[in-house]
Each structure stands twice: as C-alpha cells, then as structure tokens.
Amino acid sequence: MLWAAHPSHLSGAPRRIAIFTIGSLARIAVTLLNSSHVHNADTLLHLVTARPPGTPLITVSNHTSTLDDPLMWAFKGFPVTNARLSRWILAAEDICFTNPLFSYFFRVGKCIPIRRGAGIYQPFMDEALDRINEGEWMHTFPEGKVCQEHGPLRRFKWGVGSLVARAAVPPIVLPIGHTGFDQASRVMPEKYMFGRRPLLPLAGKKITIVVGEPMEFDMASLRDTAMKFSASSPSPFPLSCNAFKMDLAARRPGPQHLVALDDNSLGWLYSHITQQIQAAVEELRWQALGENRQSS
C-alpha cells in the first residue's frame, strides 16, 4: 500500500485525520492521565520544526513498549498532531501490517514496514532512505523489538548505521533515552494481567525522556578508515552480523563516498556508526532511569 503513504492520497486528508486523532489521544495519555518530564526538549523541538531545509533528521531510541511511539512525542508543546511535521517510522511488518485495514492505517500514519531478518538492503529500507534523502524526519528503534528489562540494551541492528552512511545528504542523528512506558508500574507493561499487556495505557505513572545532543558523522574520515578493511582481509564480523551481504545484486548504488568500499569496509562503517549511536542512547537511557527512580 505504498500509494496510501503518498502525501497526495485523497489530498492528504486520511493522513491528517489519523495523525491528529492518534496524537490527540497520546497527549491525553501523557499529559492528563500521567506525568512526563523531558530533558533537553528544546533541542528536539528545534530540529523537528526549524532545522535547515532539506536536512534529514534521524532520531534513535530504546524500545520499551508497543506505545513508545506515539506517546514519546506527546509531551506538552510538541506538535504531535501536525501531520506535516510528524515523523516517519520503521514498523514491524509482522505486527503492524498483518491485514489490509492495519496496513492502510499505518501507511497513512507515516509508517514504513520493515521485514525483520530480511537484511539492510531490503526494498523497505530503500523506501526509508528515500524519505531521508527528501529531508524528512525518520525515527528508528534499532533494538528491533520491545525490551522491558533494565539490563544493557540489545545490540542495535546495523540498519540505522546504513541509513546514516547511505544518505545523500548527511543527516542529523539525535539519540533519545526514555523510561516509564515499561514494567508493571508503568504506562504500557508487556505483562500486566494474565501475562498480557493492557488494552489502554495505564494512568498515574511517570514518564521520563532524555534527549541527547545532535550527532554528526564525518563520512570522509570514516570512509578512509573503513577502506582499511579490504575484500582480501578476513571479515572481522561474526557470521550472524552479515546482513549487509544479503542480495548484493539488488543493492541500490550508494552515494559517491561509498563507491570505493567493499563489503568488509561497508560492514565496518555501518557497525561503527551504529555502535556510536547505541552508546549515546545507552547513556541517556540510564540517565532517564535514574531520574525516574529519584522522583518515584
């Protein structure tokens, strides 16, 4: 249903209705039924509303509940109901796109299906790259699934690193850490009653979101480092992390700075960028956990 995601579909009315409705409900859940505290919110607000024209924004966060999006954008003062400014987001195909009705709803809501396990060169990743190259805002949950444990984050998938590296215009990357949507005392626990999540967000809880500082990557310098990993060198990566090698014949030609890189070099580049982003999100998540516990 790619046609449903086009802004001209029915003059954009379905998109405006869907995002206004979901955004309004999310704001009620976050600001009226619960309390929220957002650190460095001005940075996020500025980048969403006033970044230079044509400059893409990629926000990255941990993933603690099925309602992280849209609840994490519903704090007071953020344009969560504005369809033009709303994020694009990668959403699991096997959860959000299981029937025509769901597919239509999520498509008009600016969601791009992602097929877990299909690699970083799948057509849906190219669609996400198209939106980024148009200067849009893209949000990702690189853990790949909900995690409500308070241990270290799951290893981030390399897709986020590939989107940063393959973008025609260098994107601004903004890491975000949050807590409050998870566990039995929070807004949307995975195991609440009879081992299932609640039908609606819980009330009277505290949500803490910590927005980091923008990250920009020097692709010329990273390219030079990546070129040390030639095709003749043994791959430094485990076989379980070789999704970037999938279906190379179908891989879209990358920007000029990636032309000279072989598979090992690209693997190092995607992995390095992803690891830097994960480290930033991890630090912010622990800061959010500490703030939430102190105020509980």
Side-chain angles (χ1 to χ4, degrees):
M1 286 194 182
L2 183 59
W3 50 269
H6 199 278
S8 64
H9 170 56
L10 297 180
S11 301
R15 175 180 293 180
R16 291 193 298 272
I17 292 170
I19 290 178
F20 180 84
T21 301
I22 296 301
S24 297
L25 293 174
R27 175 145 293 159
I28 290 172
V30 170
T31 63
L32 296 182
L33 301 182
N34 296 280
S35 62
S36 63
H37 186 63
V38 184
H39 295 262
N40 200 23
D42 288 346
T43 295
L44 174 62
L45 186 60
H46 173 75
L47 289 175
V48 168
T49 62
R51 67 184 181 279
T55 301
L57 171 65
I58 299 178
T59 51
V60 186
S61 74
N62 54 313
H63 197 12
T64 63
S65 83
T66 54
L67 288 183
D68 288 351
D69 178 280
L71 295 186
M72 62 186 295
W73 317 120
F75 58 88
K76 187 176 180 181
F78 192 83
V80 69
T81 59
N82 188 316
R84 182 179 61 85
L85 296 176
S86 180
R87 88 290 170 267
W88 288 88
I89 188 169
L90 297 173
E93 183 185 44
D94 60 328
I95 295 176
C96 300
F97 297 84
T98 54
N99 61 57
L101 180 61
F102 283 8
S103 295
Y104 181 78
F105 174 77
F106 284 106
R107 274 298 196 176
V108 299
K110 300 177 76 170
C111 299
I112 298 174
I114 195 73
R115 189 167 299 160
R116 292 187 281 198
I120 61 177
Y121 294 128
Q122 60 180 283
F124 295 134
M125 288 293 286
D126 287 341
E127 183 183 341
L129 190 61
D130 286 339
R131 301 291 81 76
I132 291 169
N133 287 339
E134 292 167 359
E136 296 282 357
W137 167 26
M138 179 71 61
H139 184 72
T140 69
F141 296 111
E143 289 178 279
K145 62 188 299 186
V146 168
C147 180
Q148 297 197 337
E149 299 174 359
H150 285 171
L153 292 174
R154 286 190 177 92
R155 180 184 66 83
F156 277 16
K157 308 299 183 185
W158 289 5
V160 63
S162 76
L163 289 175
V164 173
R166 296 165 66 200
V169 177
I172 297 171
V173 179
L174 188 67
I176 301 173
H178 60 77
T179 188
F181 302 118
D182 54 337
Q183 300 300 332
S185 63
R186 307 305 184 191
V187 176
M188 183 54 76
E190 284 291 290
K191 297 180 180 180
Y192 177 65
M193 187 175 294
F194 305 113
R196 301 178 67 87
R197 68 176 70 95
L199 295 177
L200 297 172
L202 304 182
K205 313 303 179 183
K206 179 173 177 57
I207 299 163
T208 302
I209 300 170
V210 181
V211 179
E213 294 301 323
M215 304 173 69
E216 297 187 47
F217 294 89
D218 183 349
M219 295 308 303
S221 175
L222 290 175
R223 177 200 59 203
D224 292 342
T225 304
M227 289 181 70
K228 296 177 182 178
F229 295 92
S230 67
S232 60
S233 301
S235 174
F237 311 109
L239 292 177
S240 61
C241 298
N242 69 349
F244 68 98
K245 293 184 177 180
M246 293 184 61
D247 197 13
L248 294 179
R251 181 173 62 191
R252 175 188 295 186
Q256 189 62 35
H257 63 260
L258 299 185
V259 169
L261 301 185
D262 58 34
D263 295 339
N264 281 355
S265 299
L266 287 172
W268 180 89
L269 181 63
Y270 298 162
S271 175
H272 177 80
I273 292 173
T274 302
Q275 289 170 8
Q276 297 299 306
I277 295 171
Q278 177 163 357
V281 173
E282 183 79 270
E283 181 178 351
L284 297 171
R285 184 186 69 124
W286 283 112
Q287 184 178 338
L289 285 168
E291 295 274 351
N292 200 287
R293 287 169 180 164
Q294 290 178 10
S295 60
S296 296

